[in-house]
């Protein structure tokens, strides 16, 4: 039965939760790494970091990065070749984004059909895909600045790549927080993302 | 390229330093406890986490995999960026696992660099002998594992030149270093032969100062700071990975940039 078919296919649910795991490990270990030499005038509370010390945090970070990248590649390939990327996210019109944003702020954004994303969702999910790409590329420069000269110059040098990496992380965390609030407001989306229907 | 555990060095001074470090820095035990608390998270990925040791060995396993990836990514002909002298970071930061005042005092006159392992000529080198070899200098960025970086000017002998002079077996895999401050580390042969890898004797045109590693520091702009040994007393060419001081605690062995 077509109506009983999963709204979120299995590959999407798997890559979603693998990505969540990778991001959580990377963010919390990344904060510990940041604390070893803060870029700005603050540190993250060590109680909410992962790794226990710089070396431990680095081990977590450089393990979870593979999960993020491998999972991201699988997600993108499925998304592209299943046609989901095109169907779900496009067309994306500026006017609709503003309209839906306004409706959302007034608490009047409809969620009747979870098979369609509203314009704000489309924008948010596309943004987080791009942001993840920025996180990965800037991270690659922080990790191997000598081996990736073009990417290094694109990021404005080693020191600047750290700043780009930081803000890309901050944007990812901001998305995550809004994402959690939205799931709390529309709890059945959590069900959709776990059992598919 | 499997990394064996560095042999435990039962040296009183070294043990003391380790103990001091354990007291002052966040401990390994804490790391393991945190790792355990994250065990539940790791279950989501399908890994079976039975105890904290398995998490630790899994992460160390990935780190060894990362060594291999970095060895594969390393391009022997790719140069690290160099900078004009006006960009040198002043003052250049001091960094070690001890305070500046505790940096070792090495007597330059009686100093001998010991050479051993897979080399044809095992004679020990005096500083004047090293100064007679062709000297080069370069202004490069030092990148610390902590995330900060600083630009400095180091001068000395191309390490590839030195390895050639001692008749090193350049098909061997590793070069190990033992330092006067009980630090030890090791590098891969490809990095050792890189044109920017220098056995430095000077910093910013002056004899290498005590706090920057007198009498000698191996400077590699393609590796993180902790891979650049200071106060080198002995080096050896080997096919057995000698590990390193920080590497023993969990820093990545390749430590490339």
């Amino acid at each position: 039965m077509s109506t009983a078919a999963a709204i979120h296919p299995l590959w999407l649910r798997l890559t979603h939760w693998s990505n969540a795991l990778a991001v959580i490990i990377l963010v919390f270990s990344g904060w510990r790494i940041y604390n070893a030499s803060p870029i700005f005038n603050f540190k993250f509370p060590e109680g909410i970091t992962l790794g226990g010390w710089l070396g431990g945090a680095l081990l977590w970070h450089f393990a979870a990065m593979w999960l993020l990248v491998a999972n991201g590649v699988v997600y993108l390939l499925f998304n592209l070749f299943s046609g989901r990327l095109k169907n779900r996210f496009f067309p994306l019109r500026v006017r609709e984004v503003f309209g839906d944003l306004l409706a959302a702020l007034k608490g009047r954004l409809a969620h009747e059909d979870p098979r369609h994303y509203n314009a704000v969702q489309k924008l948010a999910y596309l943004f987080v895909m791009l942001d993840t790409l920025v996180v990965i590329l800037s991270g690659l420069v922080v990790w191997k600045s000598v081996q990736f000269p073009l990417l290094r110059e694109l990021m404005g040098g080693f020191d600047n790549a750290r700043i780009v990496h930081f803000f890309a992380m901050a944007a990812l965390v901001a998305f995550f927080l809004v994402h959690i609030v939205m799931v709390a407001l529309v709890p059945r989306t959590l069900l959709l993302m776990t059992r598919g229907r | 390229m499997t990394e064996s555990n560095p042999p435990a060095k039962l040296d009183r001074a070294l043990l003391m330093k380790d103990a001091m470090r354990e007291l002052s820095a966040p401990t390994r035990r804490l790391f393991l406890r945190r790792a355990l608390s994250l065990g539940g998270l790791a279950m989501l990925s399908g890994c079976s986490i039975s105890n904290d040791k398995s998490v630790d060995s899994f992460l160390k396993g990935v780190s060894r995999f990362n060594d291999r990836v970095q060895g594969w990514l390393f391009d022997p002909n790719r140069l690290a960026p160099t900078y004009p002298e006006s960009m040198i970071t002043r003052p250049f930061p001091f960094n070690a696992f001890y305070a500046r005042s505790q940096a070792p005092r090495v007597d330059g006159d009686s100093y001998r660099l010991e050479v051993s392992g897979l080399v044809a000529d095992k004679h020990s080198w005096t500083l004047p002998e090293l100064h007679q070899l062709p000297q080069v200098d370069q202004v490069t960025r030092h990148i610390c594992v902590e995330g900060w970086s600083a630009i400095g000017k180091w001068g000395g002998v191309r390490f590839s030149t030195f390895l050639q002079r001692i008749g090193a077996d350049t098909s061997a895999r590793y070069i190990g270093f033992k330092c006067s401050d009980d630090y030890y580390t090791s590098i891969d042969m490809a990095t050792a032969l890189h044109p920017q890898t220098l056995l430095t004797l000077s910093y910013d045109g002056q004899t290498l100062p005590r706090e920057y590693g007198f009498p000698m520091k191996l400077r590699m702009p393609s590796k993180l700071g902790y891979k650049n040994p200071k106060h080198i007393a002995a080096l050896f060419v080997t096919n057995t990975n000698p590990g390193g001081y920080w590497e023993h605690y969990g820093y990545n062995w390749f430590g490339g940039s």
Side-chain angles (χ1 to χ4, degrees):
Chain A
M1 277 199 315
S2 61
T3 48
I7 287 165
H8 291 323
L10 185 64
W11 65 263
L12 180 76
R13 283 174 278 147
L14 287 176
T15 52
H16 172 270
W17 291 111
S18 299
N19 186 65
L21 176 73
V23 168
I24 287 168
I25 293 174
L26 285 162
V27 167
F28 288 119
S29 60
W31 289 356
R32 188 71 191 213
I33 298 167
Y34 167 95
N35 281 358
S37 179
I39 307 171
F40 305 106
N41 200 16
F42 76 94
K43 283 189 177 189
F44 292 96
E46 303 211 318
I48 57 162
T49 63
L50 170 66
W53 70 293
L54 173 61
L58 288 164
L59 284 175
W60 279 106
H61 209 74
F62 286 105
M65 70 174 185
W66 293 114
L67 180 60
L68 182 80
V69 171
N71 186 68
V73 168
V74 169
Y75 169 82
L76 274 183
L77 289 178
F78 267 106
N79 226 347
L80 280 171
F81 289 105
S82 67
R84 188 180 176 278
L85 188 72
K86 189 164 162 273
N87 298 335
R88 278 274 184 147
F89 296 96
F90 297 97
L92 176 61
R93 296 190 182 90
V94 180
R95 181 195 289 270
E96 285 173 14
V97 171
F98 282 107
D100 285 353
L101 193 60
L102 207 64
L105 291 174
K106 287 177 182 165
R108 283 199 300 237
L109 193 59
H111 279 92
E112 293 91 35
D113 188 357
R115 271 165 295 201
H116 296 288
Y117 290 146
N118 64 55
V120 179
Q121 278 179 300
K122 289 179 186 175
L123 184 70
Y125 300 148
L126 286 171
F127 168 79
V128 85
M129 284 180 218
L130 283 176
D131 187 55
T132 303
L133 187 67
V134 173
V135 149
I136 291 169
L137 294 181
S138 58
L140 200 53
V141 173
V142 176
W143 184 36
K144 308 289 303 169
S145 73
V146 174
Q147 305 305 324
F148 296 101
L150 280 175
L151 212 48
R152 180 186 67 230
E153 296 315 308
L154 188 73
M155 294 288 161
F158 171 80
D159 288 342
N160 211 54
R162 285 186 75 207
I163 296 171
V164 172
H165 198 57
F166 179 90
F167 281 108
M169 173 281 293
L172 200 55
V173 170
F175 167 85
F176 181 78
L177 293 176
V178 174
H179 193 53
I180 295 293
V181 169
M182 290 300 158
V183 171
L185 289 176
V186 193
R188 76 193 161 102
T189 53
L190 186 62
L191 217 56
L192 286 175
M193 194 45 92
T194 25
R195 63 170 201 188
R197 283 168 283 124
Chain B
M1 211 195 296
T2 51
E3 180 199 351
S4 56
N5 282 334
K9 203 174 171 186
L10 289 175
D11 175 283
R12 191 178 291 269
L14 188 59
L15 278 173
M16 196 59 204
K17 258 168 211 153
D18 288 350
M20 295 282 282
R21 196 192 143 269
E22 290 285 306
L23 286 172
S24 61
T27 67
R28 193 174 153 75
R29 203 154 297 147
L30 188 61
F31 161 44
L32 291 175
R33 199 157 60 220
R34 287 272 162 66
L36 185 61
S37 71
L38 253 277
L41 257 183
M43 298 283 259
L44 282 172
S45 71
C47 309
S48 154
I49 309 291
S50 51
N51 55 52
D52 52 6
K53 273 192 182 140
S54 68
V55 175
D56 192 44
S57 64
F58 171 75
L59 293 176
K60 294 246 168 85
V62 177
S63 193
R64 284 193 292 273
F65 170 72
N66 289 341
D67 288 338
R68 289 197 293 276
V69 171
Q70 291 178 91
W72 174 76
L73 277 175
F74 181 81
D75 179 346
N77 299 313
R78 181 165 288 140
L79 300 181
T82 53
Y83 303 88
E85 291 194 18
S86 60
M87 284 180 74
I88 292 175
T89 308
R90 296 179 198 280
F92 191 85
F94 168 81
N95 199 259
F97 61 103
Y98 43 77
R100 183 185 284 256
S101 61
Q102 287 169 308
R105 290 170 198 280
V106 178
D107 175 24
D109 294 333
S110 62
Y111 175 80
R112 298 288 183 278
L113 172 67
E114 289 171 33
V115 175
S116 62
L118 305 169
V119 298
D121 176 4
K122 291 187 177 152
H123 99 269
S124 296
W125 290 67
T126 64
L127 282 178
E129 279 179 297
L130 288 166
H131 278 285
Q132 274 161 22
L133 295 175
Q135 309 282 310
V136 287
D137 54 41
Q138 65 196 15
V139 180
T140 51
R141 185 183 294 277
H142 168 109
I143 296 174
C144 179
V145 66
E146 292 172 349
W148 56 268
S149 78
I151 295 172
K153 181 187 174 188
W154 289 269
V157 183
R158 272 212 179 89
F159 198 43
S160 59
T161 306
F162 181 77
L163 290 175
Q164 201 182 0
R165 291 297 173 102
I166 61 175
D169 174 4
T170 53
S171 69
R173 296 169 71 182
Y174 311 105
I175 309 207
F177 300 89
K178 292 176 188 166
C179 308
S180 304
D181 53 3
D182 286 334
Y183 193 74
Y184 67 103
T185 190
S186 54
I187 61 166
D188 53 299
M189 184 59 79
T191 303
L193 297 173
H194 188 268
Q196 286 175 314
T197 297
L198 303 186
L199 203 52
T200 62
L201 303 164
S202 75
Y203 180 76
D204 200 10
Q206 311 290 317
T207 299
L208 192 66
R210 183 169 70 99
E211 65 265 40
Y212 297 156
F214 181 82
M216 175 190 312
K217 166 186 173 127
L218 189 76
R219 171 67 195 143
M220 292 167 282
S222 62
K223 281 204 193 288
L224 298 175
Y226 67 90
K227 296 301 298 183
N228 292 233
K230 298 185 284 191
H231 315 285
I232 301 170
L235 62 86
F236 54 100
V237 179
T238 173
N239 278 312
T240 310
N241 190 326
Y245 177 88
W246 283 115
E247 294 87 331
H248 176 67
Y249 289 105
Y251 279 8
N252 176 259
W253 175 77
F254 194 91
S257 181

